[in-house]
Amino acid sequence: TVRTTAEWDRGRCVEVRVENTSSSPLSWEVHYKPGGDVATVWNAGAEAQDHEGHEGHMAFVGADWNERLDPGRWTTFGMCVDT
């Protein structure tokens, strides 16, 4: 789930909720197209993922403290983007 938490003329901040709906623990990775230049990221690591058909997407992975989610658990990460 993605929720905009702040917005201004040339940018915005969003919070992304990641939930483990499976019956097994997992390490999460989210692919998201931020729609601009990512200025800051919190609670996750990020890298560009320009694969064919997915230009502009980035891969976000858990930080040391939230990378592994038990079944039914969730975490959030966020970013601010300059558009």
Side-chain angles (χ1 to χ4, degrees):
T1 305
V2 179
R3 178 176 69 95
T4 300
T5 58
E7 197 165 9
W8 56 95
D9 255 1
R10 295 191 174 155
R12 70 185 180 292
C13 293
V14 298
E15 179 183 78
V16 180
R17 180 178 162 136
V18 181
E19 185 174 356
N20 181 358
T21 59
S22 76
S23 59
S24 301
L26 59 80
S27 294
W28 61 270
E29 180 172 317
V30 171
H31 294 254
Y32 178 73
K33 186 173 184 175
D37 296 323
V38 175
T40 57
V41 175
W42 55 92
N43 294 340
E47 63 180 59
Q49 295 286 302
D50 281 339
H51 299 295
E52 186 176 330
H54 297 283
E55 290 79 18
H57 280 78
M58 296 183 74
F60 296 88
V61 295
D64 290 342
W65 62 90
N66 72 352
E67 68 183 336
R68 192 141 174 92
L69 292 177
D70 288 330
R73 304 292 288 183
W74 58 270
T75 191
T76 61
F77 72 93
M79 72 193 83
C80 290
V81 179
D82 297 327
T83 56

